[in-house]
Amino acid sequence: MAKKPRIKVREQAPEERIKNFNEVPFGYNEAEAVEEALRCLQCKNPVCIKGCPVNINIKEFIRQIGAKDFKGAIKTIKNDNSLPAVCGRVCPQEEQCELQCVMLKTGQVINIGGLERFAADWEAQNTVFEAEPVKPVLAGDGSRIKVAIAGSGPAGLTAAGELAKMGYLPVVFEALHVTGGVLVYGIPEFRLPKKIVEREVEYLKSIGAEVKTDILVGKSYTVEDLFEMGYKAIFIGVGAGTPTFLGIPGENLIGVYSANEFLTRINLLKAYKFPEYDTPVNTGRRVAVIGAGNVAMDAARIARRMKGVDEVTIVYRRSEAEMPARKEEIHRAHEEGIIFSLLTAPVEILGDENGRVKGMKCIKMELGEPDESGRRCPVAVEGSEFVIEADTVIPALGTKANKLMTEDVKGLKLSGRGYIEINPATGETSIPGVYAGGDIATGSATVIAAMGAGKIAAKAIDKYIKGSLNLEF
Amino acid sequence: MYKITLKKELTKDIKLFGVEAPHITHNAKAGNFIVVMPDEKGERIPLTIYDWDREKGIVYMVFQEVGLSTVKLGRLNEGGSIYSISGPFGRHFHVENYGTAAVIGGGVGVPAVFPIARALKQAGNKVNSIIGFRQKDMIILGEEMKSASDSLVTATNDGSYGVKGFVTDALKQMIESGDRPDIVVAVGPVIMMKAVSDLTKNYGIKTIVSLNALMMDATGMCGGCRVNIGGTTKFSCVDGPDFDGHLVDFDGLMSRLTSFKEHETEAMHKCRLDTEEKNG
Ligand SMILES: Cc1cc2nc3c(=O)[nH]c(=O)nc-3n(C[C@H](O)[C@H](O)[C@H](O)COP(=O)(O)OP(=O)(O)OC[C@H]3O[C@@H](n4cnc5c(N)ncnc54)[C@H](O)[C@@H]3O)c2cc1C
Ligand code: SF4
């Protein structure tokens, strides 16, 4: 069989896209999707499925796209994944489904993510959603049994979706004024348009979930309050997200933003539309981002799109090979003209007489011997200090457990690093009836992992509630 | 959307709002704060909770119109509604019987200390309060503070009412006259909290201040409110807002508070234009 190359996804040219916040890839049209789907070998042993954390029947949905049964394709996907429009865009496919694909050897792996996105977008454009009737799970007084969900990130939304489909009344409490968690405040518009997240939340409501913003579980209502208010179980999916700083001098200068703050100001509070929106962000002309993970790439690429910014530098201690971000994102960052200052470690952030950032003193590094983990440790080159001029410095160094909620819950067992301890097979915590999952249990991970955790917990909650009901009768 | 049940002008630019928000009043305690957004496009504004009525589910807040967002908030009317209110945030004030407490409020810090004074009094403390303002027509909540305290001194910088001078002058006099407090609580402009902390340090009196550093989400997620407390970085939203005044790096805090001055002017300018358009 002739090996056709992977069908390219059309995208905005780098010169154009750095002037806007629109999505970078346009996605496949019908003809392209069908052509890409027909490249799939329909293996007897579809190993791709094992690579997907939620085991979507990838082989089948690709076959359906190939046969132009788009409705069937999205149905297949939705059996296992309730947020395909999101996952098709943000999943690290190259480490999951596509890593397993047998076509990988040929260098022309099937674009599974692209096809998943196509099916989801096709559905949004071509169908009107009709909720299938579900048999409600009722309490003694005839009302649907309520389950409280803390946090509206992918973990919470998925748990809510699953519970709604089982007939419960899930009520999602979100501390912020909008729902979606990292999907709205972290991941930029040009990678995941916010209207997609909004649509998913509308869908949840249409199948019977309730969403309440502005409410902090643990503070507005404690876990005890929720049980008293009649919730039979609680799922905690509050994310990890408290930023880490380097601990170098100058970190409290004006113009130093944690990546979380920078991203939130821009994604959530729309500072890029200032003064139409009221939240400002001071970027100045030159921006330095410290770190080389996905969050650093997002921050750098957002900075590149801000008015008045003409120089964005990624500062990273190790070399290109060790950069933890997705290859695709690094490639796009390169295309957008972001400067990579590798083997460079920040020493001090420098300020002017008004306490504003004016630059960052750095030192050159070289890679030493590999440590036990096999990673080569960077060591400083003596006397190689130099200054990168910058008006804004953004440490993107990962996050730690946020104790906002966890410290207020009596009896909740935490790990040494402050994450909630759970049984990974059920999501159970140390408190009966209280479940958890997503970043707050694992530390920063992925959207699909958080969704998987939400799904597992929903199943366990169902079992728990039905079990305790039997006891009562 | 949350209904505004009460709007009162305390001075020309200081307003008191009562807003229906049972999710705030359910567990609100002295020292907690809330975050409000006047409308969908607004900033997230942190405000200390002034008072609350748990039965009716109404939370009361006091704010001064100092920038675009608070001006926008001040334009909303009784019967109207606020887009978003979340909370209660922060660790609440730790109330116990310390003995004698000096409670000090400066300007719009007064509504923040009011519930603390009241709670301290209820817990059996002798509460001696001092409130300070620039001049007579800026005095707010004098009666309320009086009812929440055993004694009240009102100071104005220009002497147009009460004693002339700063709150620190009154505090010094209180300490030296023999009514030495076992604890001092001070909320107000950063410069005032710094002066109070400097003074009480000399006397070795435990002092708690409440830091209203720049905040955004107030959920510990952004770190924009970080302050240096005794050499370590803390987030005022989740670790505070109350801190030991003798450990706070006030100079660093004051510098950070100027972060968005220029933008504020730009936004205010646009806001004024909008108003002029609407009115003219
Ligand atoms: C910038 C950035 C880019 C990323 N890019 C990718 C990517 O491309 N692909 C990928 O797979 N993963 C990516 N991730 C990681 C992924 O987003 C997270 O792993 C995932 O969102 C975790 O989901 P969650 O549901 O556990 O928590 P979150 O998404 O963090 O959601 C938690 C929600 O809970 C709310 N909350 C917190 N405390 C409370 C409380 N007490 N009461 C009520 N609500 C509360 C928060 O406000 C938040 O909305 C990225 C992360 C970031 C920060
Ligand atoms: S959910 Fe993610 S891993 Fe699974 S098939 Fe879709 S893109 Fe691949």
Side-chain angles (χ1 to χ4, degrees), chain B residues 230-262:
Chain B
T232 52
T233 296
K234 299 266 179 195
F235 292 179
S236 15
C237 68
V238 289
D239 299 317
D242 297 339
F243 291 105
D244 179 340
H246 298 151
L247 298 178
V248 174
D249 169 15
F250 286 105
D251 296 334
L253 181 65
M254 278 190 269
S255 166
R256 282 189 66 75
L257 286 172
T258 65
S259 287
F260 292 104
K261 273 238 167 86
E262 295 141 34

PDB file of all heavy atoms in Angstrom, chain B residues 230-262:
ATOM      1  N   GLY B 230       9.111  38.769  57.472  1.00  0.00           N
ATOM      2  CA  GLY B 230      10.250  38.224  58.197  1.00  0.00           C
ATOM      3  C   GLY B 230      11.206  37.461  57.297  1.00  0.00           C
ATOM      4  O   GLY B 230      11.745  36.432  57.693  1.00  0.00           O
ATOM      5  N   GLY B 231      11.370  37.929  56.046  1.00  0.00           N
ATOM      6  CA  GLY B 231      12.353  37.319  55.162  1.00  0.00           C
ATOM      7  C   GLY B 231      11.804  36.202  54.293  1.00  0.00           C
ATOM      8  O   GLY B 231      12.485  35.725  53.401  1.00  0.00           O
ATOM      9  N   THR B 232      10.550  35.761  54.521  1.00  0.00           N
ATOM     10  CA  THR B 232      10.005  34.759  53.607  1.00  0.00           C
ATOM     11  C   THR B 232       8.817  35.341  52.854  1.00  0.00           C
ATOM     12  O   THR B 232       8.139  36.243  53.341  1.00  0.00           O
ATOM     13  CB  THR B 232       9.522  33.480  54.329  1.00  0.00           C
ATOM     14  OG1 THR B 232       8.654  33.879  55.376  1.00  0.00           O
ATOM     15  CG2 THR B 232      10.665  32.667  54.889  1.00  0.00           C
ATOM     16  N   THR B 233       8.603  34.813  51.646  1.00  0.00           N
ATOM     17  CA  THR B 233       7.511  35.313  50.822  1.00  0.00           C
ATOM     18  C   THR B 233       6.210  34.644  51.230  1.00  0.00           C
ATOM     19  O   THR B 233       6.126  33.435  51.317  1.00  0.00           O
ATOM     20  CB  THR B 233       7.817  35.040  49.338  1.00  0.00           C
ATOM     21  OG1 THR B 233       8.965  35.795  48.985  1.00  0.00           O
ATOM     22  CG2 THR B 233       6.662  35.448  48.445  1.00  0.00           C
ATOM     23  N   LYS B 234       5.214  35.486  51.512  1.00  0.00           N
ATOM     24  CA  LYS B 234       3.890  34.960  51.850  1.00  0.00           C
ATOM     25  C   LYS B 234       2.880  35.581  50.900  1.00  0.00           C
ATOM     26  O   LYS B 234       3.104  36.667  50.369  1.00  0.00           O
ATOM     27  CB  LYS B 234       3.507  35.364  53.283  1.00  0.00           C
ATOM     28  CG  LYS B 234       4.447  34.820  54.330  1.00  0.00           C
ATOM     29  CD  LYS B 234       3.921  33.529  54.866  1.00  0.00           C
ATOM     30  CE  LYS B 234       4.883  32.964  55.898  1.00  0.00           C
ATOM     31  NZ  LYS B 234       4.626  31.577  56.187  1.00  0.00           N
ATOM     32  N   PHE B 235       1.763  34.894  50.712  1.00  0.00           N
ATOM     33  CA  PHE B 235       0.681  35.442  49.895  1.00  0.00           C
ATOM     34  C   PHE B 235      -0.355  36.046  50.830  1.00  0.00           C
ATOM     35  O   PHE B 235      -0.899  35.340  51.684  1.00  0.00           O
ATOM     36  CB  PHE B 235       0.018  34.338  49.067  1.00  0.00           C
ATOM     37  CG  PHE B 235       0.911  33.768  47.997  1.00  0.00           C
ATOM     38  CD1 PHE B 235       0.456  32.747  47.185  1.00  0.00           C
ATOM     39  CD2 PHE B 235       2.192  34.260  47.782  1.00  0.00           C
ATOM     40  CE1 PHE B 235       1.266  32.216  46.192  1.00  0.00           C
ATOM     41  CE2 PHE B 235       3.008  33.731  46.792  1.00  0.00           C
ATOM     42  CZ  PHE B 235       2.541  32.699  45.994  1.00  0.00           C
ATOM     43  N   SER B 236      -0.646  37.352  50.689  1.00  0.00           N
ATOM     44  CA  SER B 236      -1.593  37.932  51.649  1.00  0.00           C
ATOM     45  C   SER B 236      -2.974  37.321  51.529  1.00  0.00           C
ATOM     46  O   SER B 236      -3.713  37.285  52.486  1.00  0.00           O
ATOM     47  CB  SER B 236      -1.671  39.451  51.599  1.00  0.00           C
ATOM     48  OG  SER B 236      -1.123  39.988  50.485  1.00  0.00           O
ATOM     49  N   CYS B 237      -3.347  36.809  50.359  1.00  0.00           N
ATOM     50  CA  CYS B 237      -4.717  36.278  50.223  1.00  0.00           C
ATOM     51  C   CYS B 237      -4.940  35.011  51.025  1.00  0.00           C
ATOM     52  O   CYS B 237      -5.974  34.874  51.665  1.00  0.00           O
ATOM     53  CB  CYS B 237      -5.074  36.072  48.766  1.00  0.00           C
ATOM     54  SG  CYS B 237      -4.163  34.765  47.950  1.00  0.00           S
ATOM     55  N   VAL B 238      -4.017  34.052  50.970  1.00  0.00           N
ATOM     56  CA  VAL B 238      -4.257  32.804  51.702  1.00  0.00           C
ATOM     57  C   VAL B 238      -3.514  32.721  53.027  1.00  0.00           C
ATOM     58  O   VAL B 238      -3.997  32.123  53.976  1.00  0.00           O
ATOM     59  CB  VAL B 238      -3.945  31.533  50.866  1.00  0.00           C
ATOM     60  CG1 VAL B 238      -4.976  31.342  49.775  1.00  0.00           C
ATOM     61  CG2 VAL B 238      -2.564  31.562  50.291  1.00  0.00           C
ATOM     62  N   ASP B 239      -2.322  33.321  53.108  1.00  0.00           N
ATOM     63  CA  ASP B 239      -1.571  33.272  54.367  1.00  0.00           C
ATOM     64  C   ASP B 239      -2.033  34.379  55.301  1.00  0.00           C
ATOM     65  O   ASP B 239      -1.815  34.342  56.500  1.00  0.00           O
ATOM     66  CB  ASP B 239      -0.072  33.434  54.116  1.00  0.00           C
ATOM     67  CG  ASP B 239       0.492  32.325  53.242  1.00  0.00           C
ATOM     68  OD1 ASP B 239       0.122  31.160  53.465  1.00  0.00           O
ATOM     69  OD2 ASP B 239       1.282  32.621  52.333  1.00  0.00           O
ATOM     70  N   GLY B 240      -2.640  35.416  54.758  1.00  0.00           N
ATOM     71  CA  GLY B 240      -3.071  36.570  55.532  1.00  0.00           C
ATOM     72  C   GLY B 240      -4.568  36.691  55.484  1.00  0.00           C
ATOM     73  O   GLY B 240      -5.232  35.679  55.436  1.00  0.00           O
ATOM     74  N   PRO B 241      -5.124  37.895  55.456  1.00  0.00           N
ATOM     75  CA  PRO B 241      -4.400  39.154  55.260  1.00  0.00           C
ATOM     76  C   PRO B 241      -3.742  39.697  56.533  1.00  0.00           C
ATOM     77  O   PRO B 241      -3.041  40.687  56.464  1.00  0.00           O
ATOM     78  CB  PRO B 241      -5.494  40.108  54.758  1.00  0.00           C
ATOM     79  CG  PRO B 241      -6.752  39.586  55.374  1.00  0.00           C
ATOM     80  CD  PRO B 241      -6.583  38.094  55.454  1.00  0.00           C
ATOM     81  N   ASP B 242      -3.973  39.036  57.689  1.00  0.00           N
ATOM     82  CA  ASP B 242      -3.385  39.563  58.924  1.00  0.00           C
ATOM     83  C   ASP B 242      -1.972  39.031  59.130  1.00  0.00           C
ATOM     84  O   ASP B 242      -1.743  37.834  59.001  1.00  0.00           O
ATOM     85  CB  ASP B 242      -4.239  39.148  60.125  1.00  0.00           C
ATOM     86  CG  ASP B 242      -5.635  39.738  60.041  1.00  0.00           C
ATOM     87  OD1 ASP B 242      -5.804  40.744  59.321  1.00  0.00           O
ATOM     88  OD2 ASP B 242      -6.554  39.200  60.679  1.00  0.00           O
ATOM     89  N   PHE B 243      -1.062  39.921  59.442  1.00  0.00           N
ATOM     90  CA  PHE B 243       0.313  39.504  59.700  1.00  0.00           C
ATOM     91  C   PHE B 243       0.856  40.253  60.918  1.00  0.00           C
ATOM     92  O   PHE B 243       0.329  41.297  61.296  1.00  0.00           O
ATOM     93  CB  PHE B 243       1.205  39.807  58.493  1.00  0.00           C
ATOM     94  CG  PHE B 243       0.921  38.960  57.291  1.00  0.00           C
ATOM     95  CD1 PHE B 243       0.251  39.498  56.200  1.00  0.00           C
ATOM     96  CD2 PHE B 243       1.298  37.622  57.238  1.00  0.00           C
ATOM     97  CE1 PHE B 243      -0.024  38.718  55.089  1.00  0.00           C
ATOM     98  CE2 PHE B 243       1.031  36.832  56.134  1.00  0.00           C
ATOM     99  CZ  PHE B 243       0.365  37.384  55.057  1.00  0.00           C
ATOM    100  N   ASP B 244       1.931  39.721  61.467  1.00  0.00           N
ATOM    101  CA  ASP B 244       2.634  40.374  62.561  1.00  0.00           C
ATOM    102  C   ASP B 244       3.301  41.636  61.991  1.00  0.00           C
ATOM    103  O   ASP B 244       4.212  41.549  61.175  1.00  0.00           O
ATOM    104  CB  ASP B 244       3.689  39.395  63.105  1.00  0.00           C
ATOM    105  CG  ASP B 244       4.491  39.994  64.249  1.00  0.00           C
ATOM    106  OD1 ASP B 244       4.510  41.242  64.375  1.00  0.00           O
ATOM    107  OD2 ASP B 244       5.100  39.210  64.996  1.00  0.00           O
ATOM    108  N   GLY B 245       2.827  42.785  62.456  1.00  0.00           N
ATOM    109  CA  GLY B 245       3.313  44.056  61.923  1.00  0.00           C
ATOM    110  C   GLY B 245       4.809  44.243  62.065  1.00  0.00           C
ATOM    111  O   GLY B 245       5.423  44.998  61.313  1.00  0.00           O
ATOM    112  N   HIS B 246       5.413  43.543  63.028  1.00  0.00           N
ATOM    113  CA  HIS B 246       6.850  43.732  63.237  1.00  0.00           C
ATOM    114  C   HIS B 246       7.686  42.958  62.236  1.00  0.00           C
ATOM    115  O   HIS B 246       8.889  43.130  62.165  1.00  0.00           O
ATOM    116  CB  HIS B 246       7.221  43.333  64.670  1.00  0.00           C
ATOM    117  CG  HIS B 246       6.520  44.189  65.684  1.00  0.00           C
ATOM    118  ND1 HIS B 246       6.195  43.755  66.940  1.00  0.00           N
ATOM    119  CD2 HIS B 246       6.042  45.458  65.590  1.00  0.00           C
ATOM    120  CE1 HIS B 246       5.557  44.716  67.591  1.00  0.00           C
ATOM    121  NE2 HIS B 246       5.459  45.754  66.789  1.00  0.00           N
ATOM    122  N   LEU B 247       7.034  42.101  61.438  1.00  0.00           N
ATOM    123  CA  LEU B 247       7.785  41.293  60.480  1.00  0.00           C
ATOM    124  C   LEU B 247       7.568  41.723  59.029  1.00  0.00           C
ATOM    125  O   LEU B 247       8.233  41.259  58.121  1.00  0.00           O
ATOM    126  CB  LEU B 247       7.391  39.815  60.614  1.00  0.00           C
ATOM    127  CG  LEU B 247       7.681  39.139  61.962  1.00  0.00           C
ATOM    128  CD1 LEU B 247       7.191  37.699  61.947  1.00  0.00           C
ATOM    129  CD2 LEU B 247       9.175  39.181  62.278  1.00  0.00           C
ATOM    130  N   VAL B 248       6.592  42.622  58.818  1.00  0.00           N
ATOM    131  CA  VAL B 248       6.234  42.973  57.435  1.00  0.00           C
ATOM    132  C   VAL B 248       7.260  43.919  56.806  1.00  0.00           C
ATOM    133  O   VAL B 248       7.709  44.871  57.436  1.00  0.00           O
ATOM    134  CB  VAL B 248       4.843  43.653  57.413  1.00  0.00           C
ATOM    135  CG1 VAL B 248       4.498  44.165  56.019  1.00  0.00           C
ATOM    136  CG2 VAL B 248       3.779  42.699  57.916  1.00  0.00           C
ATOM    137  N   ASP B 249       7.605  43.647  55.540  1.00  0.00           N
ATOM    138  CA  ASP B 249       8.460  44.557  54.776  1.00  0.00           C
ATOM    139  C   ASP B 249       7.555  45.616  54.129  1.00  0.00           C
ATOM    140  O   ASP B 249       7.099  45.464  53.004  1.00  0.00           O
ATOM    141  CB  ASP B 249       9.223  43.757  53.712  1.00  0.00           C
ATOM    142  CG  ASP B 249       9.921  44.653  52.695  1.00  0.00           C
ATOM    143  OD1 ASP B 249      10.070  45.869  52.958  1.00  0.00           O
ATOM    144  OD2 ASP B 249      10.313  44.138  51.634  1.00  0.00           O
ATOM    145  N   PHE B 250       7.271  46.680  54.886  1.00  0.00           N
ATOM    146  CA  PHE B 250       6.327  47.695  54.407  1.00  0.00           C
ATOM    147  C   PHE B 250       6.847  48.443  53.185  1.00  0.00           C
ATOM    148  O   PHE B 250       6.079  48.814  52.307  1.00  0.00           O
ATOM    149  CB  PHE B 250       6.008  48.693  55.521  1.00  0.00           C
ATOM    150  CG  PHE B 250       5.113  48.135  56.585  1.00  0.00           C
ATOM    151  CD1 PHE B 250       5.616  47.779  57.826  1.00  0.00           C
ATOM    152  CD2 PHE B 250       3.760  47.966  56.346  1.00  0.00           C
ATOM    153  CE1 PHE B 250       4.777  47.266  58.813  1.00  0.00           C
ATOM    154  CE2 PHE B 250       2.912  47.450  57.323  1.00  0.00           C
ATOM    155  CZ  PHE B 250       3.432  47.097  58.557  1.00  0.00           C
ATOM    156  N   ASP B 251       8.148  48.668  53.119  1.00  0.00           N
ATOM    157  CA  ASP B 251       8.682  49.438  51.988  1.00  0.00           C
ATOM    158  C   ASP B 251       8.459  48.678  50.689  1.00  0.00           C
ATOM    159  O   ASP B 251       8.041  49.250  49.680  1.00  0.00           O
ATOM    160  CB  ASP B 251      10.164  49.743  52.196  1.00  0.00           C
ATOM    161  CG  ASP B 251      10.364  50.643  53.414  1.00  0.00           C
ATOM    162  OD1 ASP B 251       9.408  51.381  53.742  1.00  0.00           O
ATOM    163  OD2 ASP B 251      11.445  50.586  54.033  1.00  0.00           O
ATOM    164  N   GLY B 252       8.721  47.368  50.728  1.00  0.00           N
ATOM    165  CA  GLY B 252       8.505  46.537  49.545  1.00  0.00           C
ATOM    166  C   GLY B 252       7.040  46.552  49.137  1.00  0.00           C
ATOM    167  O   GLY B 252       6.701  46.646  47.961  1.00  0.00           O
ATOM    168  N   LEU B 253       6.179  46.507  50.128  1.00  0.00           N
ATOM    169  CA  LEU B 253       4.747  46.505  49.865  1.00  0.00           C
ATOM    170  C   LEU B 253       4.325  47.815  49.214  1.00  0.00           C
ATOM    171  O   LEU B 253       3.590  47.831  48.230  1.00  0.00           O
ATOM    172  CB  LEU B 253       4.012  46.310  51.192  1.00  0.00           C
ATOM    173  CG  LEU B 253       2.492  46.257  51.134  1.00  0.00           C
ATOM    174  CD1 LEU B 253       2.039  45.039  50.349  1.00  0.00           C
ATOM    175  CD2 LEU B 253       1.906  46.203  52.542  1.00  0.00           C
ATOM    176  N   MET B 254       4.833  48.924  49.725  1.00  0.00           N
ATOM    177  CA  MET B 254       4.452  50.231  49.176  1.00  0.00           C
ATOM    178  C   MET B 254       4.896  50.341  47.737  1.00  0.00           C
ATOM    179  O   MET B 254       4.183  50.857  46.892  1.00  0.00           O
ATOM    180  CB  MET B 254       5.055  51.356  50.013  1.00  0.00           C
ATOM    181  CG  MET B 254       4.214  51.638  51.242  1.00  0.00           C
ATOM    182  SD  MET B 254       4.719  53.122  52.094  1.00  0.00           S
ATOM    183  CE  MET B 254       5.876  52.482  53.248  1.00  0.00           C
ATOM    184  N   SER B 255       6.065  49.820  47.451  1.00  0.00           N
ATOM    185  CA  SER B 255       6.554  49.877  46.091  1.00  0.00           C
ATOM    186  C   SER B 255       5.649  49.062  45.169  1.00  0.00           C
ATOM    187  O   SER B 255       5.254  49.509  44.099  1.00  0.00           O
ATOM    188  CB  SER B 255       7.986  49.353  46.059  1.00  0.00           C
ATOM    189  OG  SER B 255       8.369  49.097  44.742  1.00  0.00           O
ATOM    190  N   ARG B 256       5.266  47.850  45.588  1.00  0.00           N
ATOM    191  CA  ARG B 256       4.414  47.013  44.746  1.00  0.00           C
ATOM    192  C   ARG B 256       3.051  47.656  44.509  1.00  0.00           C
ATOM    193  O   ARG B 256       2.443  47.471  43.461  1.00  0.00           O
ATOM    194  CB  ARG B 256       4.217  45.628  45.370  1.00  0.00           C
ATOM    195  CG  ARG B 256       5.410  44.719  45.174  1.00  0.00           C
ATOM    196  CD  ARG B 256       5.115  43.296  45.588  1.00  0.00           C
ATOM    197  NE  ARG B 256       4.123  42.645  44.752  1.00  0.00           N
ATOM    198  CZ  ARG B 256       4.352  42.193  43.524  1.00  0.00           C
ATOM    199  NH1 ARG B 256       5.542  42.316  42.992  1.00  0.00           N
ATOM    200  NH2 ARG B 256       3.410  41.618  42.832  1.00  0.00           N
ATOM    201  N   LEU B 257       2.580  48.410  45.488  1.00  0.00           N
ATOM    202  CA  LEU B 257       1.252  49.016  45.338  1.00  0.00           C
ATOM    203  C   LEU B 257       1.210  50.081  44.249  1.00  0.00           C
ATOM    204  O   LEU B 257       0.148  50.497  43.832  1.00  0.00           O
ATOM    205  CB  LEU B 257       0.775  49.606  46.673  1.00  0.00           C
ATOM    206  CG  LEU B 257       0.335  48.547  47.687  1.00  0.00           C
ATOM    207  CD1 LEU B 257       0.079  49.181  49.031  1.00  0.00           C
ATOM    208  CD2 LEU B 257      -0.906  47.807  47.200  1.00  0.00           C
ATOM    209  N   THR B 258       2.362  50.520  43.784  1.00  0.00           N
ATOM    210  CA  THR B 258       2.349  51.520  42.718  1.00  0.00           C
ATOM    211  C   THR B 258       2.362  50.868  41.341  1.00  0.00           C
ATOM    212  O   THR B 258       2.381  51.546  40.330  1.00  0.00           O
ATOM    213  CB  THR B 258       3.583  52.450  42.806  1.00  0.00           C
ATOM    214  OG1 THR B 258       4.752  51.640  42.568  1.00  0.00           O
ATOM    215  CG2 THR B 258       3.703  53.133  44.130  1.00  0.00           C
ATOM    216  N   SER B 259       2.340  49.532  41.288  1.00  0.00           N
ATOM    217  CA  SER B 259       2.487  48.789  40.039  1.00  0.00           C
ATOM    218  C   SER B 259       1.680  49.318  38.860  1.00  0.00           C
ATOM    219  O   SER B 259       2.153  49.362  37.747  1.00  0.00           O
ATOM    220  CB  SER B 259       2.083  47.326  40.222  1.00  0.00           C
ATOM    221  OG  SER B 259       3.038  46.644  40.963  1.00  0.00           O
ATOM    222  N   PHE B 260       0.425  49.652  39.103  1.00  0.00           N
ATOM    223  CA  PHE B 260      -0.440  49.938  37.967  1.00  0.00           C
ATOM    224  C   PHE B 260      -0.884  51.396  37.892  1.00  0.00           C
ATOM    225  O   PHE B 260      -1.891  51.706  37.297  1.00  0.00           O
ATOM    226  CB  PHE B 260      -1.650  49.011  37.997  1.00  0.00           C
ATOM    227  CG  PHE B 260      -1.250  47.597  37.740  1.00  0.00           C
ATOM    228  CD1 PHE B 260      -1.173  46.678  38.771  1.00  0.00           C
ATOM    229  CD2 PHE B 260      -0.908  47.195  36.456  1.00  0.00           C
ATOM    230  CE1 PHE B 260      -0.783  45.373  38.520  1.00  0.00           C
ATOM    231  CE2 PHE B 260      -0.516  45.896  36.199  1.00  0.00           C
ATOM    232  CZ  PHE B 260      -0.451  44.980  37.236  1.00  0.00           C
ATOM    233  N   LYS B 261      -0.086  52.282  38.521  1.00  0.00           N
ATOM    234  CA  LYS B 261      -0.476  53.696  38.553  1.00  0.00           C
ATOM    235  C   LYS B 261      -0.767  54.276  37.180  1.00  0.00           C
ATOM    236  O   LYS B 261      -1.787  54.896  36.978  1.00  0.00           O
ATOM    237  CB  LYS B 261       0.629  54.505  39.244  1.00  0.00           C
ATOM    238  CG  LYS B 261       0.447  54.545  40.739  1.00  0.00           C
ATOM    239  CD  LYS B 261       0.345  55.976  41.251  1.00  0.00           C
ATOM    240  CE  LYS B 261      -0.152  56.034  42.677  1.00  0.00           C
ATOM    241  NZ  LYS B 261       0.924  55.890  43.645  1.00  0.00           N
ATOM    242  N   GLU B 262       0.163  54.053  36.217  1.00  0.00           N
ATOM    243  CA  GLU B 262      -0.017  54.682  34.900  1.00  0.00           C
ATOM    244  C   GLU B 262      -1.262  54.147  34.211  1.00  0.00           C
ATOM    245  O   GLU B 262      -2.014  54.878  33.600  1.00  0.00           O
ATOM    246  CB  GLU B 262       1.187  54.416  34.003  1.00  0.00           C
ATOM    247  CG  GLU B 262       2.446  55.059  34.518  1.00  0.00           C
ATOM    248  CD  GLU B 262       3.657  54.164  34.311  1.00  0.00           C
ATOM    249  OE1 GLU B 262       3.688  53.445  33.299  1.00  0.00           O
ATOM    250  OE2 GLU B 262       4.543  54.187  35.177  1.00  0.00           O
TER     251      GLU B 262
END
